Each structure stands twice: as structure tokens, then as C-alpha cells.
Amino acid sequence: MSEAERLDHFMARAAAAYYAGREPFGARGDFTTAPEMSQAFGECLGLWAAVVWQGMGAPSPLHLVECGPGRGTLMADALRGIATALPPFRAALRVHLVEASPGLRAVQAATLGAGVAEWHDSLNTVPPGPAIILGNEFLDALPIRQFIRRGEGWMERFVRDGAFVEQPAENPPPLPAEAPEGAVQEWNEAGEAFIRALSARLATQGGAALFLDYGPAESGLGDSLQALANHRAADPLSEPGSVDITAHVDFAALARTARAAGVAAHGPVPQGIFLQALGLVTRAAMLARAAPHSAGMQLSAAQRLIAPEGMGRLFKALALTHPALPAPPGFEVSAP
Ligand code: SAH
């Protein structure tokens, strides 16, 4: 019998093996993401960044950073939209991609073309200065820890031979005093550390960040660990690398972490409301008119991104900004 591995260590190993070994996106892969469904998604996020940049006083240079860029599609669409709408912003940009997988780095380089971007293992090596940071379905890939209620206390979940085992918790966070027997409390320790470092950077050097992902609006109990293979639910404890393992993002916890580190947190707002505020439907209609043969596809992709029963409600947008900046586009009504 092998040794038990803490869930977050197992998840980190599984995610690294998974993304190192394949290009999982699209109809033939394991899952489809918003930028792979419609170019309007990346274009709208590029224009979001342009408005934020103007609110910052149009600094040059400006570091545009994407975390977990997948195939590089979002960045390519954002840069094209920016170059058309606001050439001075494109000229001010230095593009950085934070990507762990060597295979995906090569795909991103092919998508963007030579000399467009620089790659990083983490945010730490992005040069100092004002930055706008984007991440779509990045936070859900960061490893979580799970604690399970047993008797009057909590145990921690470890993985051994493809199954959970429970052991005494190692340096647990504050956990609820009361919970039903067997209840699960998740903690995205790695995600909070990431947001803390990012927020410290925004607070001292200026800028903003935007994350889109799936998860509830409020923190709560529950086991959200999940896996996908061939667009179907799979066992998250499967052999590392064979399935895409993720967890729901606790946006409220990340917003608290960000505020404690000195930045303003806006949202989370449902993705459907956010994308509509950014004009995604109008943009999709323009694309449909320009290319009638793919008009149906453009409009159905926009509908899926926005509809509550599609990705419009489960997916949320969270923005973090230097406290002196105005509320970013799409978040005007949500107080910081
Ligand atoms: N944003 C893309 C891809 C989402 S999949 C899209 O929407 O299509 C998650 C991405 O995050 C992949 O590119 C994966 O390789 C990357 N990733 C996962 N964990 C990471 C980590 N710890 N550091 C850097 N990149 C990571």
C-alpha cells in the first residue's frame, strides 16, 4: 500500500501531469472554455482592460498578464480587439503569460506569433510596474485542501491508492465550531497565497485583475472536487494526469483575502450579467452579420456564455483593483 498524500499535494501533482501531457480544450478534448467558444469573449476582456487602463491614467509601459492561458486564444482575441479599438494601448503593452505546462507554452507561442509574449512560472518574475492581470478558469485548477467533520472535531482528507483516507489535520485554518457529521469544508490555501501576492503587487505598483471561473457567490460547506474526461464527469481521484481535476472557486474567501492585502474587491457578479454589460451580445451579432455561414454558431455561443442555465450564473467574475481606481466596467453597481 502506498503512502497517503494530502489532497492538495495530490491535486497539484494531478493537474501538472494532466496539462503537461495534452492539449485538453475543445470538442475533441475533455472540456470547452469560454475563449474557445467565441472570439467575442477575449475581445470583450481586451476592451475591459482598455477602459481600466484609461482609468489608471494610461501608464506606459503596462504589463498585461494572463494566468493559465490555455491555447492562447483569449490573449490573441484581446490583443486583436485592443489593436483595433485603441492603438495607443496596444503600443503601451508588454504581454506576459504565466503558464506551468511546457506543451501549452508551445501552443500559446504558435497562437500569438513570435516575440509577442514572455513566459513565467509565476507572477513573481513579471517585471515591476502597473499591471492588468487576467485569468479564465485558472483559479479552479489550483489545489485545495478538504477537512471533514468527525465527532466534535475535523479530520483532513488525504489520498491513498485512488481513495480518500482521513488523518489529523495539519495546521488547519479556522474551521466552523458546529457542522453536521461528515460535512466537508474546503480551503484553497494555494489560491489565497496567490491572491495575497497579486494583491500586494496591485496595492504597491498599481493596476487591476479580473478572474472568471465557476463557484458559489457565498462561502459554505460542501465537497466541490470534480473531474472531467471527454466532456463527462470522472473520478477526481483517478490516476494523476488522466482526468482534469478542479474545484469550485470560493470567491468570497478570495475577495476577503484581497481586501486584507489592501486592494478593492468588486463582485463576484454572475458571468452572464458581466458579459452583457461588456456588450458581448452586440459583438456576437456583429460577427454573425460579417460571417453568415457561422452566424448560428456565434449566436449560440454567446447565448451559452450568458444564459443562467448555461455558463451565465455558475460562472462568476471577480475584479481586484488598486483602491484609488474607479469601479471597473461591469462592476459599477457592486460596492467594493
Ligand atoms: N484560460 C484557458 C485555460 C484554462 S485551463 C481557457 O480559458 O481556455 C487552466 C490553465 O492553467 C492551463 O493553461 C494550465 O496549464 C494552467 N495552470 C494550471 N495550474 C497552473 C499553475 N499552478 N501555474 C501556472 N499555470 C497553471
Side-chain angles (χ1 to χ4, degrees), residues 9 27-28 56 96 106 109 133 156 161 179 223 225 242 244-245 247 266 278 286 288 302 307 331:
H9 299 156
R28 275 172 294 135
M56 292 165 68
H96 303 273
I133 300 164
E156 181 156 11
D161 297 330
D223 175 358
L225 194 69
S242 62
D244 177 47
I245 180 171
H266 306 267
L278 261 49
M286 281 172 62
F331 296 94

Side-chain angles (χ1 to χ4, degrees), residues 256-273:
R256 282 192 294 275
T257 300
R259 289 189 187 109
V263 301
H266 306 267
V269 300
Q271 170 171 291
I273 301 206

Side-chain angles (χ1 to χ4, degrees), residues 224-321:
S224 77
L225 194 69
Q226 63 179 63
L228 283 178
N230 300 319
H231 299 265
R232 295 232 178 92
D235 176 8
L237 305 187
S238 304
E239 182 59 27
S242 62
V243 299
D244 177 47
I245 180 171
T246 62
H248 282 193
V249 174
D250 185 346
F251 286 104
L254 297 181
R256 282 192 294 275
T257 300
R259 289 189 187 109
V263 301
H266 306 267
V269 300
Q271 170 171 291
I273 301 206
F274 175 69
L275 291 178
Q276 273 179 284
L278 261 49
L280 181 106
V281 176
T282 311
R283 179 64 190 140
M286 281 172 62
L287 291 167
R289 262 202 306 282
H293 61 279
S294 61
M297 202 192 68
Q298 287 294 349
L299 296 174
S300 66
Q303 171 70 8
R304 196 167 143 208
L305 290 171
I306 281 173
E309 66 279 12
M311 296 162 75
R313 181 154 50 207
L314 175 60
F315 281 70
K316 312 266 184 325
L318 174 71
L320 310 176
T321 61

